[in-house]
Amino acid sequence: MASRGSTSSTNGLLPPLSNHDEEAGPGKAFDDDGIDPLTSDPFDIAHTKNAPLETLRRWRQAALVLNASRRFRYTLDLNKEEEKEQRRRMIRAHAQVIRAALLFRLAGERQIVLGPTATTSTPTGDYAVSLEQLASMTRDHNISALQEYGGVKGLSELLETNLDRGINGDETDLLRRRKSFGSNTYPQKKGRSFLRFLWEAWQDLTLIILVIAAVVSLTLGIKTEGLKEGWYDGGSIAFAVFLVIIVTAVSDYRQSLQFQNLNQEKQNILLEVLRGGRTVKISIFDIVVGDVVPLKIGDQVPADGILIAGHSLAIDESSMTGESKTVHKDQKAPFLMSGCKVADGVGTMLVTGVGINTEWGLLMASISEDTGEETPLQVRLNGIATFIGIVGLSVAVFVLAVLLVRYFTGYTKNPEGKAQFVHGKTSVSSIVDGVIKIFTIAVTIVVVAVPEGLPLAVTLTLAYSMRKMMADKALVRRLSACETMGSATTICSDKTGTLTQNQMTVVEAYVGRKRINPLGDSWQLHPVLSSLLVEGIAQNTIGNVFVPKGGGDMEVSGSPTEKAILSWAIKLGMNFDLVRSESVVLHVFPFNSEKKRGGVAVKRNDFEVHIHWKGAAEIVLASCTGYLDSSGCLQSIEEDKEVFKAAIDDMAASSLRCVAIAYRSYELDKVPTDEEHLAQWVLPEDGLVLLAIVGIKDPCRPGVKEAVKVCTEAGVKVRMVTGDNLRTAKAIALECGILATSEEATEPTIIEGRAFRELSEKEREQVAKKVTVMGRSSPNDKLLLVQALRTGGEVVAVTGDGTNDAPALHEADIGLSMGIQGTEVAKESSDIIILDDDFASVVKVVRWGRSVYANIQKFIQFQLTVNVAALVINVVAAVSSGDVPLNAVQLLWVNLIMDTLGALALATEPPTDHLMHRSPVGRREPLVTNIMWRNILVQALYQVIVLLVLNFWGRNILHLNHDNRAHAVEVKNTMIFNAFVLCQIFNEFNARKPDEINVFTGVTRNYLFMGIVGITFVLQIIIIEFLGKFASTVKLNWKQWLITIAIGVLSWPLAMIGKLIPVPETPFGNCFQRCTTARNA
């Protein structure tokens, strides 16, 4: 056995010895490992997210494991992270050599074809620069080589790229580029083959012992009884073992394929590129050399490249260099490495290297995707498996000792009633054969008693849930998040795009003191005002407007807010390209979620400098000293500030997002002239002139009110955290049902981020429980709220889409990033990606989280019932009669039903509405509840009584006294075996609904469950009727079949009656602990 065993008293069957709230987060009651120091139970890990390696190593060492390679397959490989870091350092030092070796190997495996450009540094083929020249320049960050090509402009000409419009992007052009420079893919390590899974399933120590015993039995049988009759005992055990191995391997292999598919989904990043003057969204795998890629905060650099232009561009290169500091990129340091993240600023890059011609590609090709990760439930189930295993092992040793003593003392009888061992008369081969049979039974009890499949059932249900969650628009990045969502007590949700549709349109606009109506009427604006307004909108944006050459509708790209404002400007007559050509951008201050505004400095053709700002209306308004009225005259804002504030409040009360657009003039001679000082120039943000205030409508998503109501009924509090002002936040919260009435909207229920930030840590913890809506919040405010809630014992799920949301996503128990609007940094920090950005999908994740937990409990109830019944029957029979009614082959078949088939049937139940009418699952609640204990005891007691009655008085009850004794015993044992298996088949239905009277609800819709039950029943008929020699059974007549079926069917009404028995709310484990404590006292 690959274990020392556990000294724990809990193992998930009982709650940990703690007086703290069972929902407790990582507060002071627990140490940094998430372990209650009072219990020091290695299996009591509340959260495996960011858990120390020592904690993870501790529970592995404590687990009782028969097959370590299989049991720990889906847990974190503790050595892999260190190995990955060593590879990263090696690739940085020897990239060229590694790439050459990899290319040679792949060519040998015929995975790629080495073209002429892969081995020569002279320009050949379709382009005036070769693959090796590009790879060498980028790898060595060789500025002089770049200058020899004429800088980025000269290099773009060699690559036939227009820096303003990108490549043509037609199929011929893309194929030519892939042929010359490769594709942005890398050879992935092949997943385990089916044969590997067969080999791992075979590693089970008890199965190996059984096979050895079968071989010895086979040899002795053939020697004593001849080939025709002597192979049955040994051959049937061997065949049963191989059947278990094959079914186990098939199940594991299917899971592996599901994880592979999910990993491919995780790697498929969508990003924007410029092709033919149009911004298009493509997969990262479709990037080619020569592509022009816009970069913004939070993006992943998709390939190696050269910076074309950028403003305040800072790159986090820690994924490649291992150094956490950000590196600023400009024309002096223009080289960008694939796999790094944009930490700040904006820019555009020219792609010069893709796939395995980049260091990131080499790294990805040399390491396999690590799917290993423990989940708290998996760890706890290993604790249960260890506890049951120790009991089962003790029982097996006891049975072995009893059977051996009875055998050698002559109390063990053969079917004819004669003693199997007579001193001095029984041959050595008969003794060996008898001992092997006894030993085989004891080992088989261990196989049944040690539930290897129990921890793996978590992986099975998680794999199933993850696949189904993809259909519900949720991509799981961390397995543990699936089950932790079942414990979530609060969801801190963004407003924009999650609760709302993220389809924004400008519906109100104030220019000067005048409201523009209709919105697209430019005649209401003075030419000077109109010119400044469209200049500010066109230049102070990361969006784009594409005008098709042949006519047709304009295509507006960018964030939803940018698109709404650009679309409004187009209605006012803005010619995007013309306006941008009339001025040159000097410096950009990208929109910042802390400051809630973004700015740009431009130099017009008449050498006048304008600084344009755009952002949260009340924040920009506070920086304004004047405004342009509708006649284009500059007016002081002091007297009219309240008018503008009232306009903002009115729009906010109508659920509109308010954005102000302002500008100021600046002296050209004050603008820094050298590049270094210009990059560090802080744009002036005082003395602004207000140009316009716009109100943008973002309607609530349909169904969001119902989704919030479902959460409330399920005991999950929904909190809204938004950057919008409090009035807008309040209006949306009322519309979504987060706030029930306007009367609720008082502090601290509705609070501003700044006010929350200024509280002390203890005050924040008190206030956080009451907060329902937080407006004008920064990402740091969201992080403080998450920390305060977790300290107060909440299990927190948080949504986020921006780069600055990463700390909150990382800190939360479950981080949910947005698939459409989310940045790559946010996605990498999250546990689950909501692919459609919809709050209703978040609620579906909660349902699935609860379903994972409920399914595992169903399987535990089913498995423990089988464990208890099988062990008691065999122990009582062994002690009393020296023989066991269930032989090795029969127990292996029961093990197959109980482990693999049972897990498939019960761990893949879809979620039901009933799950959302319960409170969240406490993270420290015992896995086996009082209700489950009641159900287990009722069923196990029934099975034990009925089968022991059959075992001791079966010959009389079944009127077999007149039959041949040997045949009567075979019929009786066959009846016991058949009744036992049928009890398990019918009990599978009971396990579906542990706390409901009607266990058949929705069963016909679960085709997998019905299929497995049907297959199990058919196979049982085949075993009894046609495989008598193999399973040591005899054919039963129709009356005997009816009796065994009736015994099985009786478990249904018995379960219904049993569910009427009341159970205390306090877990039995707590009562046991109190008794123990009182006795010790």
Side-chain angles (χ1 to χ4, degrees), residues 269-272 293-302 314-316 339-345 347 803 822-826:
I269 297 167
L270 294 178
L271 71 160
E272 291 181 341
V293 183
L295 297 172
K296 59 184 184 298
I297 296 177
D299 284 351
Q300 176 173 314
V301 179
I315 304 293
D316 177 7
C340 300
K341 304 292 186 301
V342 180
D344 198 8
T803 303
T823 63
E824 283 309 309
V825 171

Side-chain angles (χ1 to χ4, degrees), residues 714-778:
V716 181
K717 183 175 177 64
V718 180
R719 293 174 162 88
M720 187 172 85
V721 184
T722 176
D724 284 349
N725 70 34
L726 274 183
R727 278 180 172 268
T728 306
K730 174 187 169 184
I732 292 286
L734 285 166
E735 200 176 332
C736 294
I738 293 172
L739 287 173
T741 60
S742 299
E743 287 69 39
E744 281 186 45
T746 56
E747 199 168 309
T749 304
I750 176 167
I751 193 169
E752 219 173 53
R754 179 177 44 80
F756 185 75
R757 193 186 318 145
E758 289 168 355
L759 296 172
S760 69
E761 193 173 332
K762 194 154 189 69
E763 287 172 331
R764 277 201 299 269
E765 191 180 328
Q766 295 299 318
V767 169
K769 296 174 183 175
K770 302 172 186 174
V771 171
T772 303
V773 176
M774 185 183 283
R776 279 287 174 251
S777 74
S778 68

Side-chain angles (χ1 to χ4, degrees), residues 82 138 166 230 235 262 282 337 480 494 691 768-769 877 1026:
E82 189 178 338
T138 311
L262 287 163
I282 63 169
M337 285 193 293
S480 58
D494 284 345
L691 299 176
K769 296 174 183 175
F1026 303 105

Side-chain angles (χ1 to χ4, degrees), residues 99 115-125 129-134:
R99 179 174 159 270
T117 54
T119 55
T120 177
S121 62
T122 56
T124 58
V129 63
S130 75
L131 168 62
E132 274 303 322
Q133 286 172 319
L134 286 175

